[in-house]
Amino acid sequence: MYRLKIYRVCLIIALIFSILLLFFYSEWYLDTQIPDVIRVGMGEGEEHTLDLGIKEVSVQVVEKRRVVPGGIPIGIYLETQGVYVVGTGEVEALDGLNYEPAYQVVQAGDYILAVNGRRVSDKDDLITCIQANQSDIMILKLMRNSEVIQVRLNAVQTKEEDYKLGIWVKDDIQGIGTLTYITEDMRFGALGHGITDPDTGELLEASGGSLYDTSILEIVRGERGTPGEISGMITYSDRHVKGSITSNTSAGIYGVTDQGLRSELTGEPAEVAFKQEIKQGRAYIRSAISGELRNYEVNIQEIRLNENDVNKGMIFQVTDPELLRLTGGVIQGMSGSPILQNGKLIGAVTHVFVNDPTRGYGIFAETMISTGE
């Protein structure tokens, strides 16, 4: 009799556990496998709500897009809006003591837009304003979390005719990435993720920027625990400009290019797939990392239709022997490489798994296109 009671208790516990497991699985399935928004290509401008009983889904009727897939490396020069603050620190004054004039006044992530009403566009402008004002009260116009504010502070004299605010700043970012696509009206999308400050991790507010010719000098293969990278040379001159950057977003960088960059792409326009069209299985990364623009086979392992992080909509694994030999998988500089499946552009490479360079994340092409518009 005692043993029978134990069996009953175990059965009840197992039943409760199964119900809870089913509940949590259903929640996960609704969140990840049924998208909140479904776009279909029958027209443009219409929107409906589809009631699935367990979840309402917004259905948007949009025009099918066709773009030219990229895959070629690009040199990126991004100008920040004003001067970007990386952090603050102490400075040693003439009296031998240490002071931190910007402490709790200026914060990492701020943008200095003006000093005493004079616009600041780069580090040299900021230094000139500080030296001209010396130790008098300065009014700094800042942008903090998209809000414009004003603060007051005094510079510290560190030596004869030299004054400092104790603020670490930067005014531009350079790097190498990959072009994702060009539209019929010569607009481009690239990178698949935003350009962030390496010190603060914050998305940089861009005032402009340019694409430049770049040459790959060396490929450092990715290893477990150590991401690889593309080492290249960017040619900064007016005649090597390939396009202008108009925005830096979490889904990538966008702007306008010309026929010169378009002529470097050998492929024909491809239809942009809706995310519900993507299937697990074979797909291809298009890349010119070897010096020749070609497709490399990958396997789509997971599709996250409602992932909060737009840069991680899908997980793929590189299976192409040639790309594995060349790079070890996904390396820095390949961000933005287009991913194609069944002749359609389905996404772009964004990040690599640090502990497994053969695997990476991708953003949906649908997301990139809608953000760029």
Side-chain angles (χ1 to χ4, degrees), residues 37-106:
V37 178
I38 296 177
R39 294 185 176 91
V40 294
M42 297 184 296
E44 187 170 9
E46 303 175 31
E47 183 170 352
H48 307 279
T49 300
L50 177 64
D51 189 352
L52 300 179
I54 53 177
K55 181 177 182 178
E56 285 191 350
V57 176
S58 173
V59 180
Q60 298 176 356
V61 184
V62 298
E63 181 184 354
K64 275 280 191 178
R65 300 287 190 244
R66 293 182 67 84
V67 298
V68 179
I72 58 176
I74 48 174
I76 299 167
Y77 178 83
L78 186 73
E79 300 170 355
T80 61
Q81 184 169 342
V83 178
Y84 183 73
V85 177
V86 177
T88 62
E90 295 182 344
V91 293
E92 184 178 348
L94 272 177
D95 59 11
L97 299 177
N98 290 330
Y99 299 89
E100 191 171 356
Y103 178 69
Q104 291 189 337
V105 179
V106 178

Side-chain angles (χ1 to χ4, degrees), residues 199-275:
D199 297 300
T200 66
E202 296 292 327
L203 185 72
L204 292 171
E205 293 282 345
S207 63
S210 300
L211 300 185
Y212 288 91
D213 273 330
T214 186
S215 302
I216 297 177
L217 301 179
E218 182 185 10
I219 296 173
V220 179
R221 295 180 76 258
E223 304 288 347
R224 187 177 295 273
T226 307
E229 64 177 353
I230 297 174
S231 176
M233 181 180 68
I234 303 173
T235 307
Y236 293 111
S237 68
D238 291 343
R239 67 188 186 92
H240 289 280
V241 173
K242 293 296 184 178
S244 58
I245 300 171
T246 57
S247 61
N248 176 39
T249 75
S250 59
I253 60 172
Y254 300 90
V256 181
T257 184
D258 55 27
Q259 193 60 40
L261 191 61
R262 169 64 181 91
S263 64
E264 296 182 32
L265 303 178
T266 56
E268 295 298 318
E271 187 177 290
V272 178
F274 295 125
K275 56 187 177 182

Side-chain angles (χ1 to χ4, degrees), residues 2 60 74 93 132 143 149:
Y2 179 71
Q60 298 176 356
I74 48 174
M143 183 171 68
I149 61 173

Side-chain angles (χ1 to χ4, degrees), residues 259-331:
Q259 193 60 40
L261 191 61
R262 169 64 181 91
S263 64
E264 296 182 32
L265 303 178
T266 56
E268 295 298 318
E271 187 177 290
V272 178
F274 295 125
K275 56 187 177 182
Q276 67 269 17
E277 297 179 275
I278 304 170
K279 307 297 181 185
Q280 291 183 346
R282 183 183 299 174
Y284 297 90
I285 289 177
R286 181 165 295 179
S287 174
I289 193 167
S290 67
E292 174 190 1
L293 189 61
R294 54 164 292 187
N295 292 341
Y296 297 96
E297 187 174 318
V298 299
N299 180 53
I300 305 296
Q301 296 182 321
E302 187 177 336
I303 302 165
R304 302 173 169 184
L305 296 179
N306 277 337
E307 173 62 46
N308 291 327
D309 188 339
V310 297
N311 306 129
K312 298 181 178 180
M314 66 182 88
I315 296 176
F316 64 88
Q317 184 168 32
V318 176
T319 57
D320 193 286
E322 180 60 23
L323 187 58
L324 290 172
R325 183 196 65 78
L326 187 65
T327 65
V330 180
I331 60 176

